[in-house]
């Protein structure tokens, strides 16, 4: 693994510290006090368990920067306690537990392309497309003459996620939803 100096640490980098754990850099601040040597203050987040750590590195310190392998996968199906994915290059199948996936699992649609990050054959992260198209399973009826003012009404999507939609959108319609926060973007064509 390549070593980098403390001055080269940037947000988004993945580092392996002395404890052997992998940490993602959330924030950095380069400080040059009037007295003493310069240092870099880093806010780190543990890749596996989400713990946070504030670490100070002197300018002369070196850390190991980890390169994560990003591979394209296609979502296949819900396998009970896990989700099944297929590697787009090797056609090899893997399963990721629903617990590991968390809330992201609700946005998976069969055939969807995702990017999974690996470190030494261990899946560390998954990136969904920014937006998905889903049908509204339940919402209040459409009221004639109501326009798209700043008022929204609650709706439940086909995947069980709750969101807010404009008053002119009704049950059964397909909408585009942001996968990051579940917010309504627009009607689907």
């Amino acid at each position: 693994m390549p070593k980098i100096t403390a001055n080269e640490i940037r947000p988004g980098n993945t580092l392996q510290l002395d404890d052997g754990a992998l940490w993602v850099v959330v924030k950095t601040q380069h400080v040059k006090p009037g007295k003493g040597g310069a240092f870099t203050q880093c806010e780190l987040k543990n890749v596996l368990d989400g713990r946070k750590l504030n670490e100070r590195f002197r300018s002369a310190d070196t850390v190991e920067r980890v390169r994560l392998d990003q591979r394209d996968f296609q979502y296949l199906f819900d396998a009970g306690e896990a989700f099944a994915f297929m590697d787009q290059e090797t056609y090899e199948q893997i399963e990721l537990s629903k617990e590991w996936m968390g809330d992201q699992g609700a946005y998976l649609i069969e055939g969807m392309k995702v990017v999974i990050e690996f470190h030494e054959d261990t899946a560390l992260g998954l990136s969904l497309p920014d937006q998905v198209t889903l049908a509204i399973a339940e919402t209040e009826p459409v009221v004639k003459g109501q326009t798209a003012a700043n008022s929204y009404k609650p709706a439940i999507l086909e995947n069980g996620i709750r969101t807010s939609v404009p008053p002119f959108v009704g049950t059964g319609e397909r909408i585009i939803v942001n996968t990051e926060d579940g917010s309504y973007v627009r009607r689907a064509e």
Side-chain angles (χ1 to χ4, degrees), residues 7 29-41 56-57 59:
N7 293 336
Q29 181 180 7
H30 300 282
V31 180
K32 181 157 181 14
K35 197 173 190 182
F39 62 89
T40 302
Q41 183 73 35
R56 181 179 285 187
F57 300 102
S59 294

Side-chain angles (χ1 to χ4, degrees), residues 75 78 105-110 112 132-139 154-163 165 169-177 182 188:
Y75 171 63
D78 183 339
Y107 294 106
L108 291 173
I109 298 170
E110 285 186 23
M112 176 186 278
V132 293
T133 303
L134 297 167
I136 296 177
E138 187 181 315
T139 189
I156 299 174
L157 303 174
E158 64 183 301
N159 59 1
I161 291 193
R162 295 179 183 276
T163 190
V165 296
V169 177
T171 302
E173 288 191 58
R174 298 185 62 73
I175 61 169
I176 296 176
V177 178

Side-chain angles (χ1 to χ4, degrees), residues 61-184:
D61 289 347
T62 59
V63 292
E64 289 187 40
R65 180 173 177 203
V66 177
R67 297 236 184 247
L68 298 180
D69 182 24
Q70 293 186 337
R71 300 195 317 231
D72 294 328
F73 280 79
Q74 179 180 4
Y75 171 63
L76 297 176
F77 56 88
D78 183 339
E81 293 295 315
F83 294 110
F85 296 89
M86 178 179 66
D87 190 317
Q88 293 292 88
E89 288 181 20
T90 65
Y91 303 109
E92 193 177 307
Q93 289 186 18
I94 64 166
E95 289 187 359
L96 299 176
S97 76
K98 288 184 177 180
E99 183 181 323
W100 182 85
M101 289 281 299
D103 295 340
Q104 288 184 311
Y107 294 106
L108 291 173
I109 298 170
E110 285 186 23
M112 176 186 278
K113 307 278 191 266
V114 297
V115 176
I116 301 177
E117 290 183 322
F118 289 90
H119 177 258
E120 297 175 357
D121 293 332
T122 303
L124 298 179
L126 180 131
S127 299
L128 293 171
D130 292 338
Q131 299 173 345
V132 293
T133 303
L134 297 167
I136 296 177
E138 187 181 315
T139 189
E140 297 169 9
V142 176
V143 178
K144 279 199 185 265
Q146 206 159 15
T147 60
N150 284 340
S151 64
Y152 280 78
K153 62 184 181 179
I156 299 174
L157 303 174
E158 64 183 301
N159 59 1
I161 291 193
R162 295 179 183 276
T163 190
S164 295
V165 296
F168 57 82
V169 177
T171 302
E173 288 191 58
R174 298 185 62 73
I175 61 169
I176 296 176
V177 178
N178 185 337
T179 56
E180 197 171 305
D181 59 6
S183 63
Y184 169 85

Side-chain angles (χ1 to χ4, degrees), residues 23-34:
W23 299 85
V24 173
V25 179
V26 179
K27 283 190 219 170
T28 60
Q29 181 180 7
H30 300 282
V31 180
K32 181 157 181 14

